[in-house]
Amino acid sequence: MSRALLIAQISDPHLKAGGKFSYGVVDTLSALQRMVAHLNASLPRPDIVVVSGDLVDFGRADEYAVLAPVLGQLAMPFYLVPGNHDDREQMLAAFGGQSCLPVISGTLDWVEDAWPVRLIGLDSTIPGAHGGQVSDAQLEWLDQRLGERPDTPTVLILHHPPFITGIGHMDREPFVNAAALERVVAGHPQVERLLCGHLHRPIQRRFGGSLVNVCPGTSHQIVLDLQEDAPAHFGLEPAGYLLHSWHPQQGLVTHAGVIGNYPGPYPFYDDQGLID
Ligand SMILES: [Fe+2]
Ligand SMILES: [Fe+2]
């Protein structure tokens, strides 16, 4: 492959039905539409989009019915994992068995081998709870899948970051068995990344010899406040996404982008050289 494979990651669209705004103030539908338009217009255009959970706000069928046609506007294949705001059964009813969610029952774990980077989706949700986990059965499944293709660069996509972030209100329900997941990842050095959401802001941490990238939200962002008693607040900082670029010689390089109109671009140089 001469050019890079571009994997765009978006997260936490939290779509609602009936034109409702999330928490009364966030127009999540327009935000996702802007993101889809941005990705479609990007040059070079991403080859794949992965959506790292909290697809809708209350896991309702009418919310997935709003989501499906918006994602259907993407000009490239996309892949889904659930978040704590999703509902497995409703998500299966909307997308199960399709290329974006190649499972039809159970936990929503899947493998996609169609690309130079192997994609593994993990369902880190606990029905009815805010926090995350991957069960022993899922870990065994993951270990087996990773053992199948040890030489193929692989990314894991799961909603919940498996570590304490320092944003207190999001850490109150920590990832249940993060240490067990870390041991599995450590046994398979082809795991280039774990791609997560849930925190609605960009965060990085090493994990089992690999790296976790947490993606910004497509609409609202969680306030960066590391005080122990930080309130559960969000804000409307610029929405963002991650662009993971894979090249066999360069490895997996991750860029963070934002959505919106800002001044520029301006040149550094004119015909006299660096502009004074
Ligand atoms: Fe979320
Ligand atoms: Fe979440």
Side-chain angles (χ1 to χ4, degrees):
M1 189 177 73
S2 57
R3 80 165 185 85
L5 175 80
L6 293 178
I7 305 170
Q9 181 187 2
I10 63 176
S11 201
D12 293 80
H14 285 258
L15 281 202
K16 298 187 85 73
K20 278 185 78 175
F21 286 9
S22 286
Y23 317 106
V25 293
V26 191
D27 183 357
T28 53
L29 174 57
S30 294
L32 183 60
Q33 289 168 332
R34 280 195 295 276
M35 183 67 77
V36 168
H38 180 91
L39 295 177
N40 285 345
S42 296
L43 294 174
R45 190 183 261 176
D47 299 285
I48 311 168
V49 174
V50 298
V51 192
S52 43
D54 284 354
L55 310 177
V56 301
D57 211 24
F58 278 88
R60 292 170 19 178
D62 59 351
E63 296 174 334
Y64 291 109
V66 175
L67 175 70
V70 183
L71 293 179
Q73 294 292 311
L74 283 167
M76 63 293 283
F78 62 90
Y79 299 91
L80 307 174
V81 298
N84 51 296
H85 284 256
D86 291 300
D87 178 276
R88 278 182 195 152
E89 296 309 315
Q90 296 296 350
M91 206 171 139
L92 278 170
F95 298 105
Q98 300 179 30
S99 56
C100 61
L101 186 64
V103 287
I104 55 171
S105 65
T107 53
L108 307 186
D109 309 312
W110 49 262
V111 180
E112 173 59 276
D113 281 313
W115 305 96
V117 173
R118 195 181 198 209
L119 311 174
I120 297 183
L122 285 174
D123 180 345
S124 62
T125 66
I126 306 168
H130 182 256
Q133 72 169 5
V134 179
S135 70
D136 290 347
Q138 287 176 286
L139 287 174
E140 193 178 332
W141 176 88
L142 175 64
D143 195 39
Q144 288 172 357
R145 298 290 77 72
L146 290 171
E148 292 167 349
R149 297 184 62 185
D151 298 324
T152 303
T154 300
V155 297
L156 312 183
I157 305 138
L158 69 165
H159 180 65
H160 296 84
F163 60 90
I164 297 296
T165 65
I167 296 180
H169 61 95
M170 297 298 288
D171 290 335
R172 276 187 207 120
E173 291 181 47
F175 198 101
V176 171
N177 49 354
L181 175 61
E182 187 161 21
R183 281 194 295 276
V184 171
V185 170
H188 301 279
Q190 81 271 27
V191 177
E192 291 281 343
R193 289 287 196 286
L194 295 87
L195 308 182
C196 299
H198 190 52
L199 264 292
H200 293 234
R201 55 180 318 108
I203 305 171
Q204 278 66 240
R205 182 188 184 273
R206 65 189 290 178
F207 187 82
S210 187
L211 179 66
V212 179
N213 291 147
V214 183
C215 188
T218 59
S219 51
H220 49 299
Q221 314 301 313
I222 285 176
V223 173
L224 176 54
D225 184 343
L226 301 183
Q227 299 176 94
E228 269 183 30
D229 57 350
H233 280 172
F234 67 89
L236 297 178
E237 296 171 34
Y241 66 107
L242 299 179
L243 190 60
H244 310 283
S245 171
W246 166 258
H247 188 281
Q249 274 78 52
Q250 312 308 331
L252 191 66
V253 178
T254 294
H255 302 265
V258 295
I259 296 294
N261 296 313
Y262 305 97
Y266 305 107
F268 285 111
Y269 300 95
D270 60 16
D271 50 14
Q272 309 299 312
L274 191 62
I275 295 170
D276 187 2

